[in-house]
Amino acid sequence: MTPATSTPDATQQAAPRAEHRAWTWHGSAAPLDLKLRYVPMPSPAAGQVLVRNAAIGLNPVDWKVLGGALVDWRAGHVPGVDGAGEVVALGDGVSADWLGRRVAWHTSLHRDGSFAEHTVVDARALLRLPDALDFETAASFPCPALTAWLAIEKVPVKPGQPLLISGAGGAVGQYLVQLAAARGFVVTAMANARHRDRLLALGAADCIDGPLPDGGGAWTGGRGYFAVIDAVSGDHAARMADALRANGHLVCVQDRVAQWPCDPFGLTLSMHEVALGALHQHGGDEAWTQLRTAGEQMLAALAHARLQPQERVVRPFEALAQLLDDLRLRSFSGKPVVRVR
């Protein structure tokens, strides 16, 4: 590990500390069972950096994985995938230019994550922050915004074509509506009526009530769309396939569609799945370069108000478990963010 001694500020942040605070998992699916403890300070390996976190973004996946079905964690694991802060130490092979830099980042579910004062992050996953962008907005960005970008990238750009986003009221939908409208699509947003004014202001041409009712309720609006991007569930996405024209595109952000939703050689629909976390296991350097470039362009747009983030709900580090449980219970509207310092 290269010690952070290049600047006085970096030296202060990377002073030898044996421990730091982290929220740790001990086998329970309940967010309120996370424990705030002192744990050993992590050290970056080759190709990694150590980030002193200033803010942490919370996402639905953060509570969904606590049951252990999607991960193989040991007791004491630190959850969390999104954060923002300053790079305070470098592993071998990482450019010294990163030291002291303000960054946002998304990390793998399979390593210790963001619910801590410091996190080890792969250098290839770092997003440089514009000076004008605050840490709390930056921490709210990676998972929803990068997922939205991956989703819209699945759809060929055809300005003027109708595109429907189901589940548009959430954090991913916040960015999807704006990205789709910027590419020239005529966007219909499907969401609860309380989101209507916000989604129209973000660029949606129309809003319709949704999602479809539980229990198998069908889409009845006809086959009018070139593409549907669904941010509700795999089952919901399958039912939304009835909204697609021939040669249309169905993009599933949550889960995946289990079976092809049309007969062979009929509508010839294209289906796409989106999983940001998959890049940590399977993404090559080219894929990460493309994602970082897109992410930094969007962060610049946020800094200059050309892209609008979801309203933040901010709580102190000591309240992280409670805020995560509130997210699970959907007891507030907005994007939850934890302020570390």
Side-chain angles (χ1 to χ4, degrees), residues 13-324:
Q13 294 172 18
R17 287 177 54 186
E19 295 182 316
H20 70 147
R21 293 187 302 164
W23 285 92
T24 56
W25 175 86
H26 298 274
S28 172
L32 292 177
D33 287 338
L34 294 173
K35 306 297 183 185
L36 182 56
R37 294 183 172 174
Y38 280 91
V39 300
M41 179 69 74
S43 180
Q48 298 177 333
V49 305
L50 182 68
V51 178
R52 181 189 179 199
N53 294 321
I56 300 162
L58 302 187
N59 302 283
V61 69
D62 293 326
W63 64 261
K64 291 178 180 179
V65 299
L66 296 182
L70 300 176
V71 291
D72 184 19
W73 290 347
R74 296 182 178 180
H77 179 86
V78 179
V81 293
D82 279 357
E86 299 172 9
V87 176
V88 294
L90 310 176
D92 290 341
V94 178
S95 171
D97 291 342
W98 283 109
L99 198 60
R101 188 176 290 276
R102 301 167 71 250
V103 295
W105 49 270
H106 179 277
T107 194
S108 171
L109 287 168
H110 302 286
R111 63 171 55 168
D112 282 343
S114 62
F115 290 6
E117 292 179 319
H118 299 78
T119 304
V120 167
V121 182
D122 288 342
R124 69 179 185 175
L126 298 173
L127 302 171
R128 296 169 295 181
L129 298 186
D131 291 340
L133 194 65
D134 63 274
F135 281 127
E136 291 167 11
T137 301
S140 77
F141 171 86
C143 189
L146 297 178
T147 296
W149 182 81
L150 287 172
I152 197 65
E153 280 287 291
K154 302 284 188 179
V155 182
V157 177
K158 292 191 175 183
Q161 289 296 312
L163 181 148
L164 187 149
I165 300 168
S166 50
V172 174
Q174 174 83 13
Y175 291 105
L176 267 174
V177 168
Q178 296 175 83
L179 294 177
R183 294 184 182 209
F185 291 108
V186 179
V187 179
T188 296
M190 174 189 272
N192 188 288
R194 70 178 182 273
H195 300 298
R196 177 180 176 84
D197 290 345
R198 173 171 61 89
L199 294 171
L200 290 174
L202 292 174
D206 190 20
C207 292
I208 57 177
D209 289 345
L212 298 174
D214 293 335
W219 168 261
T220 58
R223 293 192 175 277
Y225 293 95
F226 170 68
V228 171
I229 303 178
D230 184 271
V232 180
S233 69
D235 172 71
H236 194 272
R239 288 185 280 154
M240 290 303 302
D242 288 339
L244 288 168
R245 302 171 178 172
N247 298 310
H249 296 266
L250 179 63
V251 183
C252 188
V253 173
Q254 299 285 352
D255 197 13
R256 65 184 297 181
V257 176
Q259 295 182 340
W260 212 271
C262 60
D263 294 331
F265 311 112
L267 290 165
T268 59
L269 302 180
S270 297
M271 290 204 303
H272 312 269
E273 61 179 341
V274 177
L276 176 58
L279 279 180
H280 292 287
Q281 293 180 282
H282 306 293
D285 290 342
E286 181 179 359
W288 275 104
T289 298
Q290 292 173 345
L291 187 70
R292 282 201 319 273
T293 299
E296 290 180 355
Q297 289 172 348
M298 287 189 284
L299 287 166
L302 282 175
H304 293 91
R306 297 192 303 269
L307 191 66
Q308 299 301 316
Q310 196 174 29
E311 183 178 355
R312 270 81 63 212
V313 177
V314 182
R315 298 289 184 270
F317 186 60
E318 293 76 12
L320 184 151
Q322 182 63 63
L323 184 58
L324 186 60

